[in-house]
Structure formats: structure tokens, C-alpha cells
Amino acid sequence: MKKTPSDILVVTKNRKAFHDFQIDDKIEAGLVLMGSEVKSLRAGKVNLADSYAIIKDHEVWLLHAHIAPYDPASIFGHEPRRTRKLLLHAREIAKLAVKLHERGLTLVPLMVYFRKGHAKVELGLGRGKKQYDKRASIKKRESNRELSAALKRRR
């Protein structure tokens, strides 16, 4: 886990989301977790690949996020890929619902972190990239890397 300024303890980032989606907007949501899930999060045993969020009955739910079972919890543990509720204000959910009705938008979890002891997830409102968009992003990243390496050699 990586500690950043302003009381944020980053548990994990979803780097694949930035590769597969063009992120337009970001929003912070609280996570409803069981005790064994919190222990597992603090140990950094979470995977956000292939996870997403949906709005159902005026509530936001996180699906397919994998939080590994906490071994000392034994039979009182949790299911790793269970559906988890996200905490947002009603007006934020209403705004998201309007934006999600646009074609091709998805709620993608970008990062899980602790802020002041509370588990949070950063959601991104993303539009899926086409294959040629992904190639363009990779090409741009590679050229920036080569440019910075050339500048470093020049100094």
C-alpha cells in the first residue's frame, strides 16, 4: 500500500481501466464491507480487473471486485466476488443515472483506498475505447517515454 498526501492510503489501482476506457468524470464512493473484507483490504489483497458498478433501485452496486478471503476469519469470512453496496448521496446517484443513459458509458472502479480510516472507491465514468484508440494511446505513451529518455541522455 502506498501512502499519498492528504490522509489517503492507496490499496490498489485499476490500471487496466485507463487502457480500456476513456475516463470522463471521477467520483468518490464509500464501500460497505464485512470485517474480514476490511482486514483483507488492509493487507492489499484486492483485484479490480473486470469489475464495474451498476445503478439498481436508486442504489449503486460494485460487481466482480475480488477481495481475497482473510484466512484467520475461517468460516466467518466472506465470498471473494460478492456484490458490494457503494455509498453515495441520492443527488449524486441521480446525476450518474442520467449520464449512464448516454450510449457506451460505464461506471468503472479506478482505485480503492482508505481515507481517515474509511474504505473508499474512486469510480470513473468511462467510455469504452476501440482497438485503434488503444493503439494510439500506446503509441503516444511510447513516444513520450522515448522523448523523456532522450532528454535525460542529453543532460
Side-chain angles (χ1 to χ4, degrees):
M1 287 190 283
K2 181 179 165 188
K3 199 158 199 162
T4 60
S6 73
D7 288 343
I8 293 178
L9 182 66
V10 176
V11 177
T12 187
K13 290 186 178 184
N14 188 358
R15 295 186 336 194
K16 186 177 178 186
F18 291 100
H19 178 70
D20 293 340
F21 296 94
Q22 175 188 347
I23 305 299
D24 296 333
D25 196 14
K26 295 179 184 179
I27 189 165
E28 178 184 76
L31 225 72
V32 177
L33 299 171
M34 295 174 62
S36 61
E37 289 175 321
V38 175
K39 292 279 195 178
S40 201
L41 271 183
R42 291 204 183 275
K45 296 181 178 180
V46 62
N47 187 358
L48 295 177
D50 301 325
S51 61
Y52 60 97
I54 61 168
I55 297 177
K56 185 177 180 182
D57 298 328
H58 305 291
E59 294 179 335
V60 183
W61 298 89
L62 181 64
L63 291 97
H64 301 295
H66 184 274
I67 298 177
Y70 185 64
D71 292 332
S74 66
I75 62 169
F76 302 107
H78 62 276
E79 185 181 327
R81 285 198 179 266
R82 76 178 184 92
T83 303
R84 294 169 179 89
K85 187 174 180 178
L86 298 178
L87 303 173
L88 288 166
H89 291 284
R91 65 181 177 275
E92 291 174 326
I93 295 173
K95 284 181 188 177
L96 282 177
V98 169
K99 289 180 181 179
L100 282 177
H101 281 292
E102 290 182 30
R103 186 174 155 238
L105 290 178
T106 307
L107 271 177
V108 183
L110 302 175
M111 178 171 52
V112 175
Y113 55 94
F114 286 98
R115 175 179 282 171
K116 297 180 182 174
H118 298 286
K120 305 283 184 177
V121 62
E122 183 178 57
L123 295 173
L125 198 59
R127 187 176 312 275
K129 285 185 182 179
K130 304 282 187 218
Q131 187 64 34
Y132 57 83
D133 291 334
K134 293 178 189 179
R135 282 192 218 115
S137 297
I138 292 170
K139 190 174 182 180
K140 183 178 177 183
R141 183 177 64 230
E142 291 295 324
S143 66
N144 286 341
R145 188 177 294 150
E146 289 173 7
L147 182 65
S148 65
L151 288 173
K152 195 179 278 187
R153 280 193 306 262
R154 197 163 197 204
R155 290 180 190 165

